Amino acid sequence: MPPVPGVSVRSPLGNRLRSVAGQVFVLQVAIVVLLAAGALLSLLLQSRHDIDREARNRSVSVAQTFAHSLGLQDALKSSDPSAILQPLAETTRKVAGVDFLVVMDTNGIRYSHPQPDRIGKRFVGTIEPSLAGRVHTESVQGPLGKEIQAVVPVTAADGRVVGLVSAGLTVKNVTGVVDRQLPVILLAIATGLALATGGTALISRRLRRQTHGLGTQEMTRMYEHHDAVLHAVREGVLITDGDGLLMLANDEAKRLLGLPDDAEGRSVGDVPGLDRRMADLLLSGRVATDEVLEVGDRLLVLNQRPTHPGGRPEGAVVTIRDSTEMQILTSRAETARRRLKLLYDAGGDVGTSLDVVRTAEELAAVAVPRFADFVTVDLADSVLDGDEPGANADMRRTAVSGIRSDHPLYPRGWLIAFLPSTPQARGYGTGQAELVTDLADAPGWHAQDPQRARAIVDYGIHSLIVAPLRARGVVLGVVNFWRSQKPEPFDEDELSLAEELVARAAVSMDNARRYTREHALAETLQRSLLPRALPEQSAVDVAHFYLPAQSGVGGDWFDVIPLPGSRVALVVGDVVGHGLHAAATMGRLRTAVHNFSTLDLPPDEILARLDDLVQRIDRDGAADDLDGGVLGATCLYAVYDPVSQRCTMARAGHLPPLVVAPDGTTDIVDLPAGPPLGLGGIPFETAELHLAEGSQLVLYTDGLIEERTRDIGEGLELLRTALSHPDRDPAESCRAVLDLLLPARPTDDVALLIARTRTLGPDRVAEWDMPFEPSAVAAMRSVAVKQLDEWGLSELGFATELILSELVTNALRHGSAPVRVRLLHARTLTCEVWDGSNSAPHARYAATTDEGGRGLFLVAQLSEQWGTRYTPDGKVIWAEQALPGAPGTGEPNLAAFLDLEPL
């Protein structure tokens, strides 16, 4: 094949190297490199030898000079040679330029060394030749590394060797000299090599121009390869010259363009069968990059580049690719990619929360507009409440999403009873998806609501896919995909995609439904276990707040428990975890606190009993169910006495309370933390503080002050800021705290209890110390009745006399001194008798012939309630009576004591 004008053909690099010019060039360069390498090696060896010899000579010279220095022998004979020789040797070493200068005795023990810690240790090296009076040089591995050293004897006047001196250099410093000379050597060699290579290159270039870098065989082989490759590739190639002649067209170009076999050599405009647009491109000579041209039923991609041999436009080269099949495959691949992307996005965007409505909205939003123009989600109405869907259930339109908002579809929230003829009813009943390609011709669907159906069709919605939300064998509802913009209806592939999309979302929907049910059950259980109304008491004014977590009900609780003597117990606690188990455990602990409080124990003992209870619950749970135990619980128990204004409290791993003084000062109570409930083995500690009247005691759980955007310290400071307003009542303080700290979506339960203290002043308290003798009983009844008259409680005089008589008599008969009586006029009238004994009184049934045994039974009949509490100094027996006119107040039942004689 003749060479093509304007086309330059060059041999590859391998051919260049096989040419005469290339081989001569390589040979000459190799010889120059070998000569340079040999010269470099010789220079390095000679330089290293000279420097090594110079190092040995310098070491000998320095050692001999120091060995013959004045005063050396006197220093060797001194009591401390090192003190004299070490500074002298170091000064000499630095001046002489050696790395070490060591003076030693005839046993090789050093008196000096650059490293002071080596003084007094044995010299590393051979000293025997020097002990014989000779100078010895050697290379050893010493303390400074590899060393070249000389050992010289120090001789006395009589020829005896009295010491040794060694000096030397480390090998790295010797080598460093060579390294410093190496750049100069390399620069000289590189200069020579560059000059030699440049000359060789000039000679080779001239030889290559003369031979063109190729031989006859190489030229023949090149054309054979060119011809084979040109006609074997699956890409068309056209070459034109500057006059518009078609110089070359390979087999693929002829096939794609339908050119005849004799097309080469003709003018482009005269080639039969050549598309006109293709001919215009060839004649223009312009640059074309990936231009798409439709020729017949083929889609061709063209690239054209002009050729410029010698700087003159001489034609163009055109390559042609057939992209018809690729276009079809690309279109299918793009469709598949979009569908996979839709499923992938649905996996991440649907089910982000355990909320049924939100999950339905996410499903509707993810499919618009990528899959459908409108999407509606209809769920069985019971599913929204977390219940199982029933057969033929009415469905609530839960979510609507579309490209426009003026559609005629049922709006969100609409309760729909689908007729059996509709695809929605069939899909809900059978669990099978259904495709309606033409809504205008769907009588069963029209029967549901003919007027609305006509409006939907007139709106332009023409195709529908109904896919049931089926999860774990239960159909929760249906999803409707509506099409309006695309003229073609949904097809079977899109039906499969809709089923896959809905199947993935159905699992999230069912999880949300189950969570809704469990959350509702747990919240109902927890609210039933929490106090619905706080009991009446006269010690504090209380405001409280409780909010379960959005992510699941937890185990927070609070309580206000009236105690005898007008006291009150304030409790707040937190069970770790969420769900039914946490709520049930909270109920067990709250009930236990109520039961333990009736024992009237100190706060630390109450917590100790709770700790034992939690340990038993854990053991029982571990035996029955690995998940049944209490993972952890905290509690704070405080008792406030309005008479003494003392508040005693203890906590088990709970956050400390805050106290707001009447002047607005807000402090965190310094209360020992104590271990959480259930750990056991560690005692709890109590703290006692005096609360002025009107102080606010604030108890709370960690859900109030801790969240992801702030830590506990910051939350406590915000809480102090919200509470620092003493003019507010507890309810207002509670609202202020919630406005400032309550998260929008709490991740943990929030419990808050604010109690403002009251006091029972001296005008409401009467207290007497009485003699420990029976004759004092009558006098005590008398002063008690007088006090009741002052309080306007004369109606209670008779019953109070009987109660005090029995309680004081019991104290005198069964107790010990001292005995003290106290009356408290608060919400009730409380009679308290104190004595120094710890014996417990018990009520019993007395026989008819018994002279005693009816006292406590009489007290129980005359009072609303009575009991005993223990103090560090003894016990207190108390009895409460309702005030006259109080709701539920009645006459005392004395029928069992009608046979008694008057006292």
Side-chain angles (χ1 to χ4, degrees):
M1 182 175 61
V4 180
V7 180
S8 175
V9 180
R10 297 290 183 183
S11 63
L13 180 60
N15 289 339
R16 291 187 179 183
L17 295 180
R18 287 194 296 269
S19 66
V20 175
Q23 292 174 359
V24 170
F25 176 75
V26 171
L27 179 60
Q28 291 177 346
V29 170
I31 293 174
V32 172
V33 170
L34 289 176
L35 291 176
L40 175 61
L41 181 60
S42 299
L43 288 173
L44 289 176
L45 293 176
Q46 182 62 37
S47 177
R48 186 176 297 276
H49 178 267
D50 293 343
I51 293 173
D52 183 80
R53 183 177 59 188
E54 176 62 23
R56 291 177 183 271
N57 292 339
R58 186 190 301 180
S59 300
V60 171
S61 176
V62 173
Q64 286 180 337
T65 301
F66 196 80
H68 293 88
S69 61
L70 295 176
L72 176 60
Q73 295 186 23
D74 294 336
L76 291 173
K77 296 176 182 179
S78 66
S79 60
D80 188 3
S82 295
I84 301 172
L85 295 176
Q86 172 67 7
L88 183 60
E90 284 300 293
T91 303
T92 306
R93 176 183 66 82
K94 296 176 181 178
V95 173
V98 294
D99 290 330
F100 63 91
L101 181 60
V102 177
V103 183
M104 70 198 88
D105 62 10
T106 56
N107 293 321
I109 302 304
R110 303 185 184 96
Y111 292 139
S112 68
H113 196 275
Q115 298 178 355
D117 60 335
R118 299 288 179 172
I119 297 174
K121 297 182 180 179
R122 187 173 180 80
F123 175 71
V124 179
T126 305
I127 61 174
E128 287 75 9
S130 300
L131 292 175
R134 297 192 302 274
V135 175
H136 178 70
T137 61
E138 63 180 345
S139 177
V140 297
Q141 182 66 36
L144 302 178
K146 191 70 174 178
E147 303 169 350
I148 298 175
Q149 62 187 13
V151 183
V152 175
V154 179
T155 57
D158 57 1
R160 289 181 302 104
V161 177
V162 296
L164 300 175
V165 177
S166 176
L169 297 167
T170 59
V171 172
K172 65 179 182 179
N173 288 337
V174 174
T175 306
V177 176
V178 179
D179 294 340
R180 289 190 294 271
Q181 294 177 355
L182 185 59
V184 179
I185 299 173
L186 292 177
L187 179 60
I189 292 175
T191 302
L193 180 61
L195 292 175
T197 304
T200 302
L202 291 175
I203 297 174
S204 299
R205 182 179 178 184
R206 183 172 182 181
L207 183 60
R208 187 167 55 251
R209 283 201 305 268
Q210 293 176 352
T211 61
H212 297 287
L214 294 172
T216 305
Q217 294 181 352
E218 288 77 3
M219 184 67 72
T220 303
R221 190 179 302 111
M222 183 195 68
Y223 276 110
E224 291 175 351
H225 292 171
H226 169 268
D227 189 65
V229 172
L230 185 64
H231 294 285
V233 295
R234 293 295 304 274
E235 187 170 295
V237 178
L238 297 175
I239 300 177
T240 61
D241 65 2
D243 297 328
L245 296 178
L246 183 61
M247 304 304 299
L248 182 141
N250 68 349
D251 294 343
E252 184 68 8
K254 293 178 180 178
R255 184 183 71 84
L256 295 176
L257 298 176
L259 302 179
D261 294 336
D262 59 349
E264 295 176 347
R266 295 188 178 188
S267 175
V268 171
D270 298 336
V271 175
L274 184 62
D275 185 82
R276 181 183 57 80
R277 291 169 295 173
M278 184 67 189
D280 294 340
L281 175 64
L282 293 174
L283 292 175
S284 68
R286 61 180 177 84
V287 175
T289 302
D290 291 338
E291 291 191 10
V292 179
L293 183 64
E294 186 176 359
V295 178
D297 58 351
R298 299 182 185 276
L299 202 63
L300 305 180
V301 178
L302 308 176
N303 286 276
Q304 178 170 273
R305 293 292 183 272
T307 57
H308 300 275
R312 304 181 309 276
E314 292 291 343
V317 177
V318 179
T319 59
I320 308 170
R321 296 195 312 273
D322 187 2
S323 63
T324 306
E325 295 181 359
M326 185 63 68
Q327 191 74 12
I328 297 174
L329 293 176
T330 301
S331 177
R332 293 177 179 175
E334 180 63 21
T335 301
R337 187 195 65 80
R338 287 197 301 268
R339 293 180 177 180
L340 289 175
K341 183 67 165 55
L342 174 61
L343 294 176
Y344 175 81
D345 291 344
D349 297 341
V350 179
T352 59
S353 68
L354 292 173
D355 182 83
V356 175
V357 175
R358 185 174 178 183
T359 303
E361 292 172 346
E362 291 170 346
L363 172 59
V366 78
V368 176
R370 292 186 291 178
F371 179 67
D373 299 319
F374 299 93
V375 176
T376 57
V377 180
D378 303 323
L379 298 178
D381 204 31
S382 58
V383 172
L384 299 175
D385 298 325
D387 298 329
E388 292 281 348
N392 302 320
D394 292 344
M395 283 186 275
R396 180 81 61 180
R397 179 137 295 177
T398 310
V400 178
S401 180
I403 57 176
R404 293 170 58 182
S405 60
D406 58 346
H407 57 79
L409 301 171
Y410 284 125
R412 182 184 176 207
W414 201 284
L415 186 63
I416 310 170
F418 286 107
L419 297 178
S421 62
T422 60
Q424 288 85 355
R426 290 193 296 269
Y428 182 77
T430 64
Q432 301 296 321
E434 190 167 330
L435 170 64
V436 181
T437 57
D438 187 5
L439 289 176
D441 187 19
W445 174 72
H446 279 266
Q448 173 70 31
D449 189 342
Q451 182 177 358
R452 186 176 295 273
R454 285 193 299 271
I456 291 174
V457 174
D458 294 341
Y459 185 79
I461 299 176
H462 58 82
S463 185
L464 168 66
I465 290 178
V466 177
L469 280 160
R470 183 184 182 94
R472 301 178 178 94
V474 177
V475 180
L476 308 177
V478 295
V479 182
N480 308 290
F481 300 92
W482 312 83
R483 174 169 287 180
S484 62
Q485 282 195 330
K486 293 184 179 180
E488 64 273 9
F490 287 115
D491 56 23
E492 293 295 332
D493 290 340
E494 290 168 321
L495 176 63
S496 300
L497 176 60
E499 290 177 323
E500 178 70 18
L501 178 62
V502 172
R504 295 191 180 192
V507 176
S508 299
M509 191 78 69
D510 191 53
N511 290 338
R513 178 191 66 83
R514 290 169 179 260
Y515 171 78
T516 300
R517 179 181 60 186
E518 180 179 345
H519 184 78
L521 290 175
E523 186 173 350
T524 302
L525 173 62
Q526 187 177 44
R527 290 195 179 277
S528 67
L529 295 175
L530 288 171
R532 298 183 181 180
L534 296 181
E536 294 183 3
Q537 43 79 34
S538 56
V540 291
D541 296 322
V542 179
H544 61 88
F545 175 81
Y546 173 78
L547 179 66
Q550 294 292 327
S551 58
V553 173
D556 292 13
W557 90 92
F558 64 91
D559 226 325
V560 178
I561 305 173
L563 297 177
S566 297
R567 295 169 303 135
V568 67
L570 304 174
V571 190
V572 66
D574 184 2
V575 176
V576 175
H578 295 87
L580 289 172
H581 175 63
T585 303
M586 177 272 291
R588 298 170 74 177
L589 294 181
R590 179 171 177 260
T591 302
V593 170
H594 271 268
N595 292 333
F596 294 150
S597 67
T598 60
L599 302 176
D600 214 344
L601 299 173
D604 56 337
E605 294 188 27
I606 293 283
L607 293 182
R609 292 175 181 253
L610 279 178
D611 184 60
D612 294 338
L613 174 63
V614 172
Q615 292 183 62
R616 289 197 298 272
I617 294 176
D618 276 337
R619 287 194 295 270
D620 295 343
D624 300 335
D625 183 1
L626 292 178
D627 297 328
V630 181
L631 297 179
T634 64
C635 183
L636 172 63
Y637 190 91
V639 177
Y640 173 68
D641 186 349
V643 177
S644 64
Q645 297 179 253
R646 307 296 295 179
C647 181
T648 306
M649 61 184 69
R651 61 181 176 132
H654 203 82
L655 293 170
L658 275 73
V659 173
V660 184
D663 61 357
T665 303
T666 304
D667 295 317
I668 300 174
V669 179
D670 185 12
L671 179 62
L677 298 176
L679 294 183
I682 304 176
F684 299 96
E685 300 182 55
T686 61
E688 187 174 5
L689 62 154
H690 182 274
L691 297 180
E693 184 177 7
S695 299
Q696 292 188 6
L697 184 63
V698 182
L699 286 69
Y700 54 92
T701 57
D702 56 358
L704 177 66
I705 63 173
E706 185 180 15
E707 62 170 336
R708 288 175 295 181
T709 59
R710 63 170 181 255
D711 57 15
I712 291 181
E714 183 181 355
L716 283 173
E717 289 303 318
L718 290 175
L719 181 58
R720 294 177 63 164
T721 301
L723 292 170
S724 59
H725 295 277
D727 53 330
R728 295 173 177 162
D729 60 25
E732 292 172 339
S733 297
C734 190
R735 285 193 295 271
V737 169
L738 297 176
D739 291 342
L740 186 60
L741 281 93
L742 186 64
R745 294 183 59 85
T747 58
D748 195 6
D749 288 12
V750 175
L752 176 64
L753 184 66
I754 300 179
R756 185 172 60 187
T757 61
R758 301 177 186 169
T759 59
L760 207 59
D763 59 331
R764 294 283 182 145
V765 180
E767 188 172 0
W768 305 275
D769 292 323
M770 62 174 290
F772 195 76
E773 55 186 27
S775 61
V777 177
M780 180 54 59
R781 290 201 303 265
S782 176
V783 296
V785 170
K786 183 179 180 181
Q787 183 63 55
L788 293 181
D789 291 339
E790 292 179 4
W791 284 343
L793 301 178
S794 301
E795 297 180 25
L796 302 178
F798 176 72
T800 304
E801 283 188 89
L802 291 177
I803 291 173
L804 283 177
S805 295
E806 294 300 331
L807 295 184
V808 172
T809 301
N810 272 337
L812 295 175
R813 180 176 298 178
H814 303 290
S816 61
V819 177
R820 186 157 47 96
V821 176
R822 188 171 72 168
L823 296 180
L824 301 177
H825 179 199
R827 183 181 56 87
T828 61
L829 177 64
T830 305
C831 301
E832 297 179 341
V833 176
W834 307 59
D835 72 85
S837 172
N838 288 324
S839 60
H842 298 283
R844 67 184 180 88
Y845 287 99
T848 306
T849 58
D850 290 344
E851 294 183 3
R854 298 181 177 87
L856 292 179
F857 188 64
L858 174 63
V859 171
Q861 293 297 318
L862 294 175
S863 62
E864 283 193 332
Q865 54 183 350
W866 72 279
T868 305
R869 72 175 185 269
Y870 295 92
T871 68
D873 301 323
K875 69 176 180 295
V876 180
I877 305 177
W878 56 270
E880 290 184 356
Q881 302 176 71
L883 299 179
T889 303
E891 293 295 331
N893 183 13
L894 301 178
F897 305 96
L898 294 178
D899 59 341
L900 295 178
E901 295 180 1
L903 295 174

